[in-house]
Amino acid sequence: MKFTIVASYQFHSGYESLTNSLAQALHQRGHTVTVLGVGYGGLEHVFPWTLIPCPASYVPQAVYRLHKQSAYDCLLFVMDIPNIVVNLAVLQRDQPAWLASVKTGGVFPVESDPVSPKWAKGLAALTQRFPLTSFGLNELQSVGLDAVRLPYGPATFWYEPPSSADLDRYPILKGVAARPFILTVAKNQHRKNLVASMEIAREAIAHAEARGESLTYVLVTDPKNPEGWDLQKAAVENNYLPGQLILVERSILSAKALRALYFHARAFLLTSLAEGIGLPVYEAQAQGCPVVATNCCAIPEAVRSGALIDVDRRTPYPWGDTHHYWVDVEDGVKKLEQVLADAPRVIAEYPDANAWGALIEQAMSAKTTQPNAEVLDCAKELV
């Protein structure tokens, strides 16, 4: 079969990782794969499939014209739900007959609950939906949408032993492996709630120092993101002293350096308000690093070693009509200190993403090109 994948493909993003895993799984099954990368800058690559830059505004035209040229059998969207729904809406408006003739699928996380009526209606236009977690599968099924879960597991790279040299090239991380530290790896966006992570880590550091112990917080993110949290302000408000907080720009780190940080960290901390999958949670545990994270959405099924932080309150989030879950900071400090004190380092085992190829192949082969009529009727009732 010929597959075209249109994906969010920003450098070092979770979707880039997911897309590469999916393309590799399909390629290993003998399928021809072309990826249209939204955000891909055209850098040289060594993948055995085709990778083409694609502007976000050009996606509907690109997938239509590419089909006219290559007559691919299946179109897969690997992006968040709003972007899938928008692109499908444009195709339904401009090329309704063509869209009905092509098998389409969506590979995506469901970040929070519930799946809104608007999103349910948009996703119903897909031939099949492929959520990445049991949480996502349950949420889709709760609004009447048929779906097949693609069980996520980190690539074998994240299980390989790191080298101490992987951190040596970064002056900001010089000597970090020689002392205990807490690690967070997350984009600086509202949903990641980094200010809560900073508050929890600072309390744990203060308690450690009162016992005469050393502890540092390493936060790998994009500190200067204007749409994210003001991390410098948060550092001042939490009374971080020099050497207690290391802010690292994610874009400068190689994957090998990140893997080494997971290996050396005493605990991985994530206080997201909602999480559709949480790739760093899986990556950290592949190196045996225990996780302390919000007890919400898809996080509990990902955590194999560590602790879940109680939720203090749930608030509505207008974008998508979903919910955000705010951690109880006091419970977060308690759970983090428990993990730092006695949590064992256990290398977590997860499903192999290479199985995705067979699952998608089977699911798409069993489908007709037209969306299921019952699903469409259900979506219409919801709106």
Side-chain angles (χ1 to χ4, degrees), residues 68-299:
K68 293 300 180 182
Q69 295 174 1
S70 64
Y72 55 79
D73 302 292
C74 182
L75 172 64
L76 298 175
F77 292 89
V78 184
M79 51 185 59
D80 60 24
I81 293 175
N83 280 318
I84 293 176
V85 170
V86 167
N87 284 306
L88 285 171
V90 174
L91 287 168
Q92 284 180 314
R93 181 195 67 196
D94 297 343
Q95 303 292 343
W98 173 82
L99 183 61
S101 71
V102 178
K103 292 185 178 182
T104 57
V107 178
F108 54 88
V110 178
E111 289 184 353
S112 187
D113 61 309
V115 175
S116 72
K118 179 180 179 180
W119 287 1
K121 180 179 180 181
L123 293 173
L126 293 168
T127 310
Q128 187 55 279
R129 290 140 294 277
F130 298 97
L132 296 161
T133 62
S134 295
F135 169 79
L137 177 64
N138 293 336
E139 289 302 314
L140 292 174
Q141 291 177 339
S142 71
V143 294
L145 293 171
D146 181 32
V148 174
R149 180 192 169 208
L150 298 183
Y152 177 75
T156 55
F157 167 87
W158 296 107
Y159 287 95
E160 296 171 0
S163 166
S164 58
D166 295 333
L167 295 176
D168 293 345
R169 57 178 292 199
Y170 301 98
I172 194 173
L173 296 175
K174 185 177 181 180
V176 71
R179 59 185 189 269
F181 67 91
I182 305 158
L183 175 66
T184 294
V185 179
K187 289 187 67 175
N188 182 16
Q189 56 184 210
H190 177 74
R191 181 171 59 84
K192 298 299 182 179
N193 195 19
L194 294 181
V195 290
S197 296
M198 295 179 70
E199 184 177 357
I200 291 170
R202 180 64 183 91
E203 285 296 310
I205 290 170
H207 294 168
E209 292 191 337
R211 299 189 299 268
E213 302 171 1
S214 172
L215 188 61
T216 303
Y217 182 37
V218 178
L219 174 53
V220 179
T221 185
D222 43 338
K224 298 180 180 179
N225 182 2
E227 298 179 359
W229 299 92
D230 186 339
L231 302 183
Q232 294 293 343
K233 179 181 178 182
V236 172
E237 291 176 343
N238 285 285
N239 298 312
Y240 272 96
L241 299 177
Q244 293 179 338
L245 172 66
I246 301 176
L247 283 175
V248 185
E249 175 62 54
R250 173 64 184 92
S251 63
I252 73 169
L253 288 186
S254 67
K256 288 184 177 180
L258 188 58
R259 182 177 60 187
L261 284 173
Y262 289 137
F263 176 78
H264 290 288
R266 292 280 301 278
F268 183 85
L269 177 63
L270 187 69
T271 56
S272 297
L273 305 177
E275 200 65 67
I277 180 168
L279 299 186
V281 171
Y282 290 82
E283 294 164 0
Q285 291 174 107
Q287 285 293 320
C289 181
V291 169
V292 180
T294 315
N295 187 11
C296 75
C297 306
I299 293 176

Side-chain angles (χ1 to χ4, degrees), residues 273-348:
L273 305 177
E275 200 65 67
I277 180 168
L279 299 186
V281 171
Y282 290 82
E283 294 164 0
Q285 291 174 107
Q287 285 293 320
C289 181
V291 169
V292 180
T294 315
N295 187 11
C296 75
C297 306
I299 293 176
E301 65 188 88
V303 176
R304 305 293 172 82
S305 174
L308 296 171
I309 306 172
D310 292 345
V311 172
D312 176 62
R313 68 189 189 279
R314 184 183 76 171
T315 59
Y317 183 56
W319 178 244
D321 296 325
T322 58
H323 295 118
H324 274 174
Y325 296 85
W326 301 79
V327 294
D328 182 322
V329 171
E330 184 176 342
D331 186 64
V333 176
K334 175 184 174 182
K335 298 287 178 59
L336 177 58
E337 292 186 322
Q338 288 174 347
V339 167
L340 289 170
D342 55 22
R345 292 190 72 90
V346 179
I347 295 177

Side-chain angles (χ1 to χ4, degrees), residues 18-78:
L18 293 172
T19 302
N20 291 342
S21 296
L22 175 60
Q24 179 65 21
L26 291 170
H27 173 76
Q28 289 182 343
R29 298 283 298 178
H31 301 296
T32 301
V33 180
T34 299
V35 175
L36 300 178
V38 178
Y40 170 57
L43 294 174
E44 185 177 357
H45 66 86
V46 294
F47 300 129
W49 58 83
T50 303
L51 178 57
I52 304 171
C54 182
S57 61
Y58 192 65
V59 167
Q61 299 95 316
V63 296
Y64 173 72
R65 294 184 180 183
L66 184 60
H67 186 262
K68 293 300 180 182
Q69 295 174 1
S70 64
Y72 55 79
D73 302 292
C74 182
L75 172 64
L76 298 175
F77 292 89
V78 184

